[in-house]
Every structure is written in structure tokens, then in C-alpha cells.
Amino acid sequence: MTKDVIALTPRMPDPLTVLAGLLAGGPDKLVGTTGEGAVVQLCDDRGRPLVSIEAPLLVQVAGEAERLLGATAPPVPFWWTEARATTGVEEAELIAGTFAARIATLAGGSAWPPEAARSLAVVKTDGVSVAPTPAAAQPAVDALTDKVAVIIQDRPVIAMTAWLSDAFRAAADAGLGLQIVTSPGATLSPAVRNSLSGWPSRWVVRDERDGYYDGLSGAVLRWQHGMFATVESPDATPEDPRTPVAAAYQEVTGTGDRQLAISFRTVHPADDRLVLGGALESVWQELTGRPPAGWGTAEPANLPWSPRRLTDVAFERAPEPTWLVVVGSPDRPGLATVRISRTKAGVEEDITLAFGYGPGEEPPLDALPRVAEVLATRHHLQSMLVQLRRARRDLAVPPRFEGPGVPLAFVLGAEEVREMPGDRARRTPLSEPPVQLGPRSRPALYYPLPGDPSDLSGWQDFERLMRHLKGA
């Protein structure tokens, strides 16, 4: 049975509706709060949480329930109320299901998953208690060691929810890795995938044949020394660990889907009139013909697209960095993660963006030089890399090998070109010369990478270009 249950309702659950839901475990359950009051917890008789319930979230972006849950939600705007049961306690899972069923019944709408929310009856919990919660653990954390925090998830798409974002932050502040354990049928949102790059954080996939494996690398894992770590072959050496790769990870089926991936950085002068998000909006407009649909500080992205409101959030959080997720409309899958930070150079936006295309759809590659010029001349572009990948149209990351992308182009901003000694930026080892973007007196440079899409020669060209630009 799932550990997460979500009510999707057209009306906001009022206090009496929430109270009816909280009585799912009977009137004798203790109630506590955490997360500065944003999370309500039903607890056992010793105050240890059975179920954690987040404040209802108003979602104003179409397609988010379908993207993250595979569920049909009410028309936007609708309310998303999430309950998470303590792992390994059956009664806690039943309480979470009854809570969501009561919310959906009284506020209209439905609950996800449907099978978890079939009963409105009070759950009998006499004598039920849970293990003590480590003092440093977040409500979402299922196990905590001196090396990692472990979260067990059973959702179709592991998304960067508010509580998962809090868990990432708490683990980083404590100097710990975060390891997410899922079933083999789960996928990752790109927002989570981009946050799992630092060891010992990893995606741990349960597997019938190999036990556990890393969903991003395929390395077979086992629990050792307080965390999930790679298994070494008996004939491994320090120079060649020969880590076994799970058979399930290597079961690749070609679908013909592709993704156009763009990563770029802009550096704006710090100014009270600065409005952020314009660079991302320009790219989205050039490649899809429309601006992004919505954004948020977590998933689901719940706010309609608004550069002004995005700027206000980043300004309120400064000098701390701001992390955001941006999504497109359901008919053209697109997702970006944005990190905004204040540095000595100004206000930086680090953006990773991807659009998905099916077998009968062609990515608009001819628009890439125009995209680069718009960024270079209007949005203080520092650098940009464009890749084409064989990967899913819906952008979800499966626990299977998808292969590296093929680099199509690299762009160097005008300021970076100006600071490079001599004519190094213009004279490169590539077969095609760079294309000048913007005014001749202060151009940015667009480097086409004519690699063969069927092999890795594009990466060889890219590495040669990077060595040349660095003067190596």
C-alpha cells in the first residue's frame, strides 16, 4: 500500500473538513505541527508521528496532476492536499487513505491513488506506536545514519515536492547525502534528477534479480557502512573496481522519443529595476511559440507564469539563493529548473531546460542560432550548451540506460569573448568557424558542433573546443 495519499478537490478544504479528516484515527490521537505550522501530524500516544499532512496547495497550472500522478484532476484551479504515512506502519497508511477519502468526499474531487482512499471509517489503532524519530530527521525521512538520510517512495513520478525539497536542504545542512528508494516502476522528475548529482546521494531502485541498483548509473548496490553503496566484483582492483551493472538497467527499448536539452547561464547587473525570468521566457517563446505555463518553488508547479512575481520571490529570499521549477503546457512537454543567486558579478540565473518530442515530431533545431542571439543581445548570456538526447517525450527519467546526449552547439557570451586574450575565441580547432551574434564591436560567438548523432564524436569536438578556450 502506498505511503503517500493526495486529495484533489475543486474547493479548498475548510477547517471543519480538515478536522473530519484528522479524526480518521479516532478522537484520541495527538496532533502536532512542524515546518513552522505548515505540516500537521497525527501522532501516537508518545507524540511520534503516524501521518504528516501538508497545508492545501492551490494549483493553477493545468496538467500537473496528470504529469506527476497520472491522475485526472478537477479543472484548474484546484486544491492539492497531501498526506504521508510513516513507513512500515499499516495503520498509518490506512489513516492517510481515510484522511484523503474524507477530504475528497466533503470538498468534492477525488483521491490518489483511488485504492488507498476507499473507506471513511475510523481506523482502529489501539496499541499502535512507531519507532522513535531521530531528532535531526525531517517528517519525510525514513532512516537516518551518520552518512545519509533515506527516503522510501512509492509514487509513479518522484517529484521535488515541498517536503522532499526540505529533506534535501536539511541533509545538505547536516553534511549528509540523500538516498531515495523506489520501486522499479517509478521514474524521477528532472527536477529531482538534477539534485542527485553529489555522492553519496543517489536513486536506489528495488530489483528482484539484483536486490538494489542505482537508477541513474545501473550500479548494483547493497546496504553497507550506513548507506547504499556500490558492490565490487571479486576480481576488482583499485584502478578498476568493475562495479556490476543491474540487468534491468540494461533492458533498453527504443521508442523514437527525443529531448532537446539546453543549459545556460545569464549574469545581470544588480539593479532595482531588474526583472528575472525573461531569458527563459524568450527561449520558451522561440522554441514553442508560447511562454511557459507555470512555475513554483516546488512540484507541482502551482503558479501561472509571471516573471514579475518570480522576481519578487527571489528578491525576498536574497542573499540566499532561490530554486524554482518551470513547466510548459501538456501538449508540449517542457520543464526547467532555475537557480538564482547573488554574486560579486551580479545576479546569476543558472537554467537547465528540456523539451520532449515524439517519433513524429521534429525539434526546431533551425531556431537555435536565433535563440542564442536573443539571449546574447538582450539577456546578458554568459554561456550555453545545447544537446539532443534519445529520451522520453514526457521528460520523466526511468531507471534504465538512455545514453548521453549529442552536443549541437556551444555559445560564449559577449563579455566572455571580450575577456579572452587575442583572437583565441574566434580561431578554434573545429571544422566550422564560430558565428558572430550581436554587434561586430562586441559579439557573442555561436560554435556549431558537427558531431555525428550516432556516436560520441560531438563530445570529442566539445572537449577540444573547451581545452582551446581555456588555453590548455
Side-chain angles (χ1 to χ4, degrees):
M1 184 177 293
T2 185
K3 300 167 185 63
D4 297 337
V5 187
I6 300 165
L8 307 170
T9 60
R11 301 191 303 275
M12 179 180 179
D14 59 31
L16 289 178
T17 299
V18 175
L19 178 60
L22 291 173
L23 291 172
D28 58 341
K29 286 290 166 285
L30 300 177
V31 176
T33 62
T34 187
E36 299 180 350
V39 178
V40 176
Q41 294 180 316
L42 289 175
C43 305
D44 64 10
D45 56 6
R46 299 182 64 180
R48 295 174 296 206
L50 289 164
V51 178
S52 299
I53 300 156
E54 294 219 357
L57 177 70
L58 180 63
V59 178
Q60 304 175 66
V61 182
E64 284 297 87
E66 290 80 358
R67 177 176 75 90
L68 299 177
L69 302 177
T72 301
V76 293
F78 64 88
W79 292 88
W80 178 301
T81 307
E82 186 160 337
R84 175 172 170 80
T86 297
T87 302
V89 181
E90 182 179 359
E91 290 80 1
E93 297 170 6
L94 294 172
I95 292 174
T98 300
F99 170 85
R102 292 184 175 191
I103 296 294
T105 299
L106 294 174
S110 60
W112 176 91
E115 65 273 12
R118 290 176 176 169
S119 174
L120 300 175
V122 172
V123 178
K124 295 181 179 180
T125 58
D126 295 340
V128 172
S129 63
V130 297
T133 303
Q138 296 289 301
V141 173
D142 295 295
L144 190 68
T145 74
D146 60 350
K147 296 183 178 67
V148 297
V150 179
I151 291 176
I152 302 173
Q153 274 283 273
D154 190 12
R155 298 168 75 143
V157 179
I158 311 305
M160 187 61 82
T161 57
W163 58 260
L164 184 56
S165 177
D166 289 343
F168 267 107
R169 190 178 303 111
D173 291 344
L176 302 175
L178 189 71
Q179 299 191 335
I180 303 173
V181 183
T182 75
S183 63
T187 61
L188 295 187
S189 161
V192 176
R193 165 65 182 88
N194 295 340
S195 300
L196 282 174
S197 56
W199 181 89
S201 297
R202 63 172 78 242
W203 177 20
V204 182
V205 181
R206 295 190 298 270
D207 182 65
E208 292 183 355
R209 287 173 287 184
D210 292 296
Y212 297 92
Y213 69 92
D214 189 306
L216 300 178
S217 70
V220 175
L221 307 172
R222 70 164 176 254
W223 184 260
Q224 48 190 333
H225 309 301
M227 65 179 179
F228 285 99
T230 54
V231 174
E232 292 186 356
S233 298
D235 53 351
T237 65
E239 294 76 22
D240 183 7
R242 300 186 184 181
T243 301
V245 176
Y249 181 79
Q250 303 176 65
E251 294 173 353
V252 181
T253 57
T255 63
D257 288 1
R258 290 176 292 175
Q259 292 177 13
L260 183 62
I262 304 173
S263 55
F264 62 96
R265 173 181 290 182
T266 61
V267 183
H268 309 275
D271 190 299
D272 291 341
R273 297 168 297 176
L274 174 63
V275 177
L276 299 167
L280 179 59
E281 181 178 282
S282 295
V283 174
W284 219 292
Q285 189 76 44
E286 291 288 343
L287 294 178
T288 70
R290 68 187 79 170
W295 70 285
T297 56
E299 294 180 287
N302 65 312
L303 299 170
W305 177 247
S306 170
R308 174 60 66 183
R309 192 169 180 185
L310 181 155
T311 302
D312 290 342
V313 169
F315 179 79
E316 291 169 1
R317 295 186 175 189
E320 294 299 316
T322 297
W323 182 94
L324 306 168
V325 61
V326 181
V327 299
S329 58
D331 61 328
R332 169 54 58 222
L335 187 143
T337 57
V338 183
R339 182 178 174 84
I340 300 168
S341 53
R342 183 73 169 88
T343 68
K344 293 181 179 180
V347 181
E348 297 187 4
E349 292 179 286
D350 283 294
I351 299 173
T352 301
L353 166 65
F355 295 105
Y357 301 88
E361 300 171 318
E362 287 298 324
L365 303 184
D366 56 346
L368 294 178
R370 186 170 67 251
V371 168
E373 183 153 21
V374 168
L375 291 177
T377 57
R378 303 180 193 173
H379 299 288
H380 303 280
L381 177 69
Q382 186 180 70
S383 62
M384 180 175 79
L385 176 64
V386 183
Q387 302 176 53
L388 189 63
R389 304 180 59 232
R390 293 190 180 97
R392 292 170 51 143
R393 181 182 188 273
D394 63 6
L395 306 179
V397 181
R400 304 286 184 274
F401 178 74
E402 286 191 312
V406 175
L408 302 178
F410 177 75
V411 183
L412 199 61
E415 185 63 25
E416 285 61 40
V417 171
R418 187 186 68 83
E419 292 179 353
M420 200 157 289
D423 61 351
R424 182 190 299 167
R426 294 172 176 81
R427 300 182 63 181
T428 74
L430 302 181
S431 58
E432 294 187 36
V435 178
Q436 292 193 10
L437 307 174
R440 292 185 178 181
S441 60
R442 197 171 178 273
L445 294 179
Y446 179 97
Y447 301 90
L449 295 169
D452 185 346
S454 64
D455 59 31
L456 299 180
S457 60
W459 284 114
Q460 295 170 358
D461 289 336
F462 177 71
E463 290 173 359
R464 290 167 58 207
L465 175 62
M466 291 300 99
R467 288 196 299 268
H468 171 80
L469 295 177
K470 293 176 182 178

